[in-house]
Amino acid sequence: MFDARLFRESAESVTAQLEHQLADASIRGLELIDPDILDRAARGLMTPERDRIAAFDEKRLAAIVDLYVRTGIQVHSPGYLGRQFSGVVPLAGIVDFVGSVVNQPSSFYEAGQLPNVAERIMAEELNRFIGWEPESFAMVTTSGGSLANLTALLAARNKRFPDYWSQGGGALAGRSRPAIAVGADVHYSVSRAAGVMGIGDEQLVRLPLDREQRICLDRARGALEDAERRGLEVFCLVASAGTTSVGAFDPIDGLADLAREKGLWLHVDGAHGASLLVSDELRGKLAGIAKADSLTWDAHKMMFVPAPCTLLFYRDRRDAPGAFRQQASYVFDDKPDAYTALDSGDKNFECTKRPMIMPLWALWSIHGRALFAEKIEYLCRLTADIHTILLDEPDFEPLHRPEANILCFRHLPAGLAESDVHRLQLDIRNRLKRQGNFFISKVDIDGVAALRVVLMNHRITTEHFRMLLGEIRRAGYDLRHRANGRETGSDSE
């Protein structure tokens, strides 16, 4: 099973299957299969041998790969417009494959030397667009934006309440309850992190939004002062650079000034939108980012590398070890040297961590910044173009002007009652998920469902979007026709 020649033959076989997948430019939605049917298919691919090692079966491997590829979202198809993770640059997948085979965990330099050096290099490269002092900041990689947000919030809490790590809630005796200020549309990972930290939902200060779904700077101050009157001690303000719902960018510059005035840590959840920093054309969306204390940046979203690959930046490198305060002689050295200085195990939650930086560093090394900037700029221009298309369609309503590559809208055919708008959007999305050529998502805006597209694939054009609108119209017509048939008692099936 460890034979080098068998490895090469297997890799070539699987690569040929993936080549076919990448070359397929057809419009494919989601092939949603009943879980019981898929369960039977998966079990049918398992060897019946139980007592001895079964011989390698090339056909069995090919069938496993085919089922794997076919039953997931088709991220390389123009029909994929539904989520914020993208089809990877194929070369990044190859480097990730290398990482899986050589298996070098990257939390400690001795285990993964090049990944740790690559982290330092990419931190320096990307900080050129953030703007912190070169010798003062720090960056660690984490497995996903949710974990990065939790880590940053822990660092912020422990800085404000230094004894909390060792004493728990007892460190708060005589003090106000700790609280975190967030936009009303903040990603659920932030509220989940607060729960993990023992900060109840009632101690999340939800800052009001403006018409563009961004934190309203004019009203944020009043919300913070009201929280103080309620006995809350806000220690961190979380801003979003590209909200999950609509892709909105909070006014980071103004919020940073407010946070500094109030003595708050400013964390920016830029999981989706921080990648715009590499674009000269789009960098202004994150104006003021150099004033932030920490930044979450998901490279597996708009940098088009395999998930997970999240970068957590700190403006002050001295804050990086503050999230976790532990000693463990089997991994942490009492006397750091030139090698252990690159360890990140004391700064991130994971002890065993994938060398997730390697695909990003390899792409950056081979192709440079322009690869990322040009694709991001195309996707954002395309989203602006489809917004213009929607403005000219009388039966569609765009719900915001897109700031990046996320756009929400509703299908509103003539005669649709206001009470039926919510249900129709949900039914259309579910119909497309089960039967359509396109995979889109949905979100509630102001309590009413909306259709949501996220443009992550450079193969998508405005023509594809027009095809999607046609599919939505057909689904909407069919759903309303069936509903009207049921209301009149006719047989609409």
Side-chain angles (χ1 to χ4, degrees):
M1 296 308 100
F2 292 87
D3 182 76
R5 178 175 295 180
L6 176 60
F7 165 75
R8 178 177 58 80
E9 293 173 353
S10 301
E12 289 174 352
S13 175
V14 171
T15 300
Q17 289 179 269
L18 293 176
E19 179 185 11
H20 176 76
Q21 171 78 1
L22 289 170
D24 185 356
S26 64
I27 301 172
R28 307 186 302 281
L30 183 65
E31 183 183 346
L32 203 59
I33 300 173
D34 182 285
D36 290 335
I37 295 175
L38 182 57
D39 183 275
R40 289 194 294 272
R43 291 178 188 276
L45 293 174
M46 298 174 69
T47 178
E49 182 60 67
R50 292 291 181 268
D51 300 322
R52 295 176 298 178
I53 297 175
F56 174 69
D57 187 334
E58 184 177 356
K59 291 183 178 179
R60 193 185 301 275
L61 174 62
I64 289 171
V65 173
D66 177 70
L67 190 64
Y68 189 7
V69 170
R70 184 165 47 85
T71 55
I73 54 173
Q74 304 299 310
V75 293
H76 292 282
S77 168
Y80 170 64
L81 298 93
R83 297 295 183 194
Q84 290 169 271
F85 36 84
S86 71
V88 303
V89 179
L91 179 59
I94 293 174
V95 178
D96 195 53
F97 167 63
V98 174
S100 296
V101 175
V102 301
N103 201 25
Q104 296 176 0
S106 63
S107 284
F108 299 95
Y109 180 80
E110 66 180 25
Q113 298 179 53
L114 182 57
N116 278 277
V117 168
E119 281 198 19
R120 182 167 64 180
I121 293 171
M122 285 310 302
E124 294 171 356
E125 289 288 314
L126 296 177
N127 181 57
R128 293 192 292 116
F129 309 109
I130 299 172
W132 288 324
E133 290 295 325
E135 300 302 321
S136 69
F137 80 100
M139 186 272 279
V140 294
T141 58
T142 71
S143 296
S146 298
L147 191 54
N149 287 336
L150 171 62
T151 304
L153 292 174
L154 283 169
R157 185 201 65 184
N158 293 342
K159 188 170 187 177
R160 174 65 70 89
F161 307 102
D163 296 326
Y164 201 104
W165 181 266
S166 58
Q167 299 178 20
L172 303 176
R175 299 187 64 166
S176 299
R177 291 175 295 158
I180 301 170
V182 301
D185 200 23
V186 72
H187 190 265
Y188 76 89
S189 68
V190 174
S191 55
R192 179 174 286 182
V196 171
M197 295 164 60
I199 297 174
D201 197 61
E202 292 183 0
Q203 290 159 237
L204 284 178
V205 180
R206 297 190 179 273
L207 305 177
L209 306 181
D210 61 18
R211 295 179 60 184
E212 299 300 323
Q213 303 295 303
R214 301 170 297 201
I215 291 177
C216 180
L217 189 58
D218 292 339
R219 299 165 63 193
R221 181 187 302 276
L224 292 173
E225 292 172 351
D226 180 66
E228 186 176 352
R229 286 191 293 268
R230 291 190 288 120
L232 299 178
E233 182 175 347
V234 177
F235 64 89
C236 181
L237 192 162
V238 179
S240 297
T243 59
T244 299
S245 295
V246 301
F249 285 72
D250 289 330
I252 296 171
D253 199 31
L255 291 171
D257 292 341
L258 178 60
R260 182 171 299 175
E261 175 189 332
K262 296 289 186 181
L264 310 180
W265 177 297
L266 176 64
H267 174 64
V268 176
D269 180 2
H272 185 78
S275 296
L276 273 62
L277 286 168
V278 304
S279 163
D280 294 338
E281 178 182 318
L282 299 167
R283 191 174 306 129
K285 297 285 185 183
L286 289 96
I289 190 62
K291 298 179 182 179
D293 294 288
S294 54
L295 168 67
T296 291
W297 184 338
D298 277 358
H300 58 262
K301 290 186 169 71
M302 296 282 276
M303 301 291 273
F304 319 111
V305 298
C309 180
T310 297
L311 319 173
L312 173 59
F313 287 86
Y314 294 93
R315 180 168 54 87
D316 188 340
R317 66 187 311 152
R318 293 171 297 182
D319 292 331
F324 311 104
R325 299 176 178 177
Q326 294 169 287
Q327 292 297 320
S329 61
Y330 43 86
V331 287
F332 302 139
D333 285 297
D334 293 334
K335 297 180 179 180
D337 54 27
Y339 307 111
T340 60
L342 272 73
D343 289 353
S344 62
D346 61 333
K347 305 175 186 67
N348 58 259
F349 188 80
E350 301 131 297
C351 180
T352 302
K353 183 176 69 173
R354 285 182 59 82
M356 60 191 79
I357 197 68
M358 290 303 294
L360 178 62
W361 174 71
L363 288 183
W364 196 275
S365 299
I366 294 169
H367 297 296
R369 175 184 71 100
L371 167 65
F372 308 95
E374 290 183 15
K375 181 166 179 174
I376 291 168
E377 288 163 4
Y378 172 76
L379 295 174
C380 291
R381 286 195 302 270
L382 177 63
T383 310
D385 290 341
I386 69 174
H387 176 261
T388 301
I389 290 172
L390 286 172
L391 290 174
D392 292 333
E393 300 292 342
D395 55 339
F396 285 91
E397 177 190 33
L399 300 178
H400 61 102
R401 183 176 296 277
E403 294 197 64
N405 62 326
I406 298 175
L407 181 59
C408 301
F409 60 97
R410 295 190 181 109
H411 178 43
L412 303 173
L416 179 67
E418 184 175 347
S419 59
D420 294 332
V421 171
H422 178 82
R423 175 49 56 188
L424 181 63
Q425 314 310 308
L426 294 180
D427 289 345
I428 287 173
R429 194 266 172 168
N430 289 334
R431 172 69 66 90
L432 265 59
K433 183 171 69 171
R434 291 192 302 268
Q435 302 176 8
N437 295 311
F438 294 90
F439 175 62
I440 66 174
S441 50
K442 57 88 179 174
V443 65
D444 286 356
I445 297 180
D446 297 328
V448 180
L451 304 175
R452 174 177 174 270
V453 293
V454 185
L455 304 187
M456 300 293 286
N457 187 345
H458 63 276
R459 286 178 166 175
I460 301 169
T461 66
T462 54
E463 186 56 35
H464 291 118
F465 186 72
R466 292 185 188 277
M467 294 169 64
L468 168 63
L469 296 186
E471 198 162 289
I472 290 172
R473 283 192 178 102
R474 288 189 293 274
Y477 175 84
D478 186 47
L479 289 163
R480 296 182 73 209
H481 176 71
R482 289 171 180 264
N484 290 337
R486 285 193 296 270
E487 289 172 3
T488 60
S490 63
D491 182 8
S492 62
E493 296 300 326

